[in-house]
Amino acid sequence: MVELSQSLALVAARLGEDARAALLVLLSGQLQDQVADLVRRVDPESEAVEDYQRQLLAGFTPPVRVEASEQEDAEEDAEEGDGPDSESTDASQDLSGLIALLAMLCATASKAHCSALLLHLPLHLQGQVIAKLLKASPLSATAGLMPMHRELVEALRAAMPNREEWVVESVCQIMRVVDSTRQLRRLITIADDADHESVVVLQNHLFDFEDLLSLSDRDLQALLVQVDNHTLGQSLLLTDKEVHGGLLRNVSARRRTLIAEEEERWAESTMQEIEMAQQRMMAMARHLYEQGKITTYFGSVSRTGLSDDHGDEEQEEQEEEQEKEEVEEEDQHNYRGVLVGGSVLLVAIFAVWGIISLFAWGGDKGRRGFSGGQGAGKRGGGGVGMVATGGVAVEGGSAGVVRPTGQTMRMQAVVEMPGQARLEALNQTEVVAVDDEEAAFEMRVGKVRTMVLDEDFEMRTPVVIIKGVVRGALFDTRVVLDASTTVEVVRGSVVVYSRLRDGLRWTVGKGMQGYFDTAGNGRVEKIITAGG
């Protein structure tokens, strides 16, 4: 009879600290307590370890890369009977038991936490686990396993409370909460090495057609130039108004007419034909990303940085930190340039305005030109819908552009932070515009819908910092009077950092919500809709 708790503890003991913590989080109830207790006492090198457990642990040894010449010599030796013992070689290279165990864990646990385990597994296991999740089903999950390993996986299946979720949608849910583009690229590329055909299917489902709206205008135009009118017209059929208009806004009036004709021509297309046209556009986006012509990632496979020399996790973390520092330094330099130029321009404008006011109103500039800011927000018609409470001047228009910093405002409509985010007040909301260099906005109370235009943008509340790590991410933030904060993600994903407890963070993906209280606690769960 297999020992489930002990086997999981042995596996956890062979993992790094981060992967071990992620594995324990995926377990639940009594099983989690048992494994957490055993992992401190088990010894993977002990002679008391059972054979089936030893075979599991052998899966942590990376497969040896054999050069072509060495492979030919090994085959010749095998033919002559002088090669190594075949049974021991097969046993040492058999990953199926360990892969099936880890895949079952990911299939039956919370998808919000599975990505952390995948990212911290040894590289040679990551792609195999993803491929298993993509190909297997509840009926085939234990196919081809040794009897003891099959019994072990079945025991885990019985111990986990959640319904199993396999194939592409399950993997998409895991991938969508991955923090960075680099990590996502690595997972997809390693999975492609393990099973190319399954990853092609994953690429076609991981990113939705509407994700093209996350492209900048320049990138979107670079894509649309490469797509013929027939494909574009057919792909736009049955799309909602936002997607339809967002794409066509980046083509000329003459081409819009031609595309409209194509839409009429292909109006009777089946859903499968429309999806194929959309997939062709997404494939072109991946191709342009690989060529460096667009900057938004759509699931392309890259071999960069996946050599053996880059397998060390600590080295990868150092490289990521270095990249972040370089980007931050460049952004700060750019922001300083913009601020200096903007300051000079503002001084010139105010000087001219003062001269004009002096002649036009006989020195009454202070009373008529600047009325405390509230008039700017309350004018009828094209007002910005923002009420400034601290003498703050705000540009007019249907979508206001944030200029003030460090001032408290009540937001009532749509506000843009140029190049950073677009915010829409869903009810009366009190906000503070933070210094432009920080690319941040702070909410005091109310509810705001935010579309992230820059990965560095932060939405702050008294208890958390919400960072939009993916351009195009769309999320709602609600802050009540006691400062408790609720975050609901409509599209993409965000990372929420606690401002009350150092080092505590949560990832909130599409269709999920997080609740964070004033004690520094937080929980993330799936949004339950009225129909489901």
Side-chain angles (χ1 to χ4, degrees), residues 1 5 22 30 32-33 64 95 112 146-147 179 200 235 243 287 290 378 460 463 469 522:
M1 182 176 178
S5 299
Q30 186 178 2
Q32 184 184 66
D33 296 336
V64 178
L95 307 179
M146 297 171 54
D179 289 345
V200 171
S235 66
V243 176
H287 178 66
E290 291 166 0
K378 292 184 177 180
R460 301 176 182 177
V463 297
V469 295

Side-chain angles (χ1 to χ4, degrees), residues 69 88 147 166 226 244 337 345 365 474 476 493:
S69 58
S88 62
W166 296 88
Q226 302 295 327
H244 193 278
L345 180 61
K365 173 191 65 173
L474 188 67
D476 296 341
S493 65

Side-chain angles (χ1 to χ4, degrees), residues 114 133 136 171 186 222 288 314 338-339 366 413 419 430 445 497 501 518 526:
C114 286
L133 286 168
V171 179
R186 188 183 70 182
L288 294 177
E314 293 183 0
V338 171
L339 287 174
E430 184 176 302
V445 67
Y497 298 84
R501 299 171 64 180
T518 54
K526 186 175 181 180

Side-chain angles (χ1 to χ4, degrees), residues 219-473:
D219 285 353
L220 192 52
Q221 289 162 13
L223 170 62
L224 295 178
V225 165
Q226 302 295 327
V227 179
D228 59 74
N229 293 340
H230 161 214
T231 300
L232 182 53
Q234 194 171 35
S235 66
L236 288 172
L237 295 173
L238 304 182
T239 57
D240 59 37
K241 184 177 180 180
E242 180 184 7
V243 176
H244 193 278
L247 294 179
L248 292 184
R249 187 173 61 246
N250 286 274
V251 300
S252 65
R254 180 177 179 277
R255 191 180 181 192
R256 280 198 294 270
T257 302
L258 297 175
I259 292 170
E261 294 175 357
E262 292 292 338
E263 289 186 69
E264 293 180 3
R265 178 184 177 189
W266 299 101
E268 301 300 322
S269 297
T270 64
M271 182 60 70
Q272 184 179 9
E273 291 171 335
I274 295 172
E275 290 177 352
M276 289 181 64
Q278 293 177 348
Q279 289 174 10
R280 288 197 295 273
M281 285 190 63
M282 299 299 287
M284 177 57 69
R286 289 194 293 272
H287 178 66
L288 294 177
Y289 178 84
E290 291 166 0
Q291 292 184 325
K293 295 182 179 179
I294 66 174
T295 58
T296 302
Y297 180 69
F298 285 107
S300 63
V301 173
S302 171
R303 309 295 167 191
T304 305
L306 295 179
S307 63
D308 292 340
D309 293 336
H310 292 76
D312 184 79
E313 292 182 1
E314 293 183 0
Q315 182 177 350
E316 289 183 355
E317 291 175 358
Q318 292 174 359
E319 291 174 356
E320 289 179 1
E321 290 297 327
Q322 184 176 357
E323 289 179 1
K324 289 179 181 178
E325 291 175 1
E326 292 174 355
V327 171
E328 289 174 359
E329 291 177 0
E330 182 179 353
D331 289 345
Q332 289 177 2
H333 181 269
N334 293 338
Y335 279 129
R336 290 192 190 100
V338 171
L339 287 174
V340 171
S343 300
V344 173
L345 180 61
L346 285 174
V347 170
I349 292 173
F350 281 123
V352 174
W353 179 258
I355 294 172
I356 295 174
S357 300
L358 182 63
F359 284 99
W361 299 320
D364 197 27
K365 173 191 65 173
R367 291 189 299 274
R368 299 190 183 186
F370 298 93
S371 59
Q374 294 191 11
K378 292 184 177 180
R379 285 193 301 266
V384 72
M386 174 182 285
V387 180
T389 62
V392 180
V394 182
E395 290 191 2
S398 59
V401 181
V402 176
R403 297 301 182 199
T405 59
Q407 299 285 352
T408 301
M409 297 161 284
R410 298 190 192 95
M411 200 171 76
Q412 295 176 317
V414 177
V415 175
E416 288 186 4
M417 299 182 71
Q420 297 170 5
R422 180 182 177 90
L423 302 97
E424 178 184 2
L426 302 181
N427 57 29
Q428 186 78 7
T429 300
E430 184 176 302
V431 296
V432 175
V434 183
D435 191 336
D436 288 345
E437 285 194 21
E438 299 185 49
F441 221 67
E442 181 164 334
M443 286 183 58
R444 296 292 175 81
V445 67
K447 186 173 183 180
V448 167
R449 170 161 291 185
T450 304
M451 175 181 287
V452 177
L453 305 178
D454 189 315
E455 294 92 336
D456 291 330
F457 174 76
E458 295 178 356
M459 169 66 78
R460 301 176 182 177
T461 78
V463 297
V464 295
I465 295 175
I466 309 156
K467 190 171 179 61
V469 295
V470 179
R471 285 190 297 171

Side-chain angles (χ1 to χ4, degrees), residues 461-465 482-485 496-506 514-524:
T461 78
V463 297
V464 295
I465 295 175
D482 71 350
S484 297
T485 301
V496 181
Y497 298 84
S498 175
R499 300 183 72 174
L500 306 178
R501 299 171 64 180
D502 291 341
L504 198 59
R505 73 171 190 173
W506 303 264
Y515 173 79
F516 311 96
D517 61 28
T518 54
N521 302 313
R523 68 173 186 271
V524 178

Side-chain angles (χ1 to χ4, degrees), residues 81-154:
D82 297 331
D85 179 64
S86 60
E87 291 186 5
S88 62
T89 302
D90 292 342
S92 65
Q93 298 297 322
D94 185 10
L95 307 179
S96 58
L98 179 60
I99 297 299
L101 186 70
L102 294 172
M104 179 62 71
L105 193 59
C106 291
T108 54
S110 168
K111 299 301 179 289
H113 298 111
C114 286
S115 62
L117 175 62
L118 278 176
L119 289 169
H120 291 103
L121 285 175
L123 291 179
H124 72 282
L125 295 179
Q126 293 179 7
Q128 297 284 351
V129 173
I130 294 173
K132 179 75 172 179
L133 286 168
L134 286 169
K135 293 188 299 183
S137 69
L139 295 178
S140 64
T142 58
L145 298 182
M146 297 171 54
M148 296 294 281
H149 289 169
R150 184 183 302 113
E151 185 178 345
L152 183 64
V153 174
E154 291 291 354

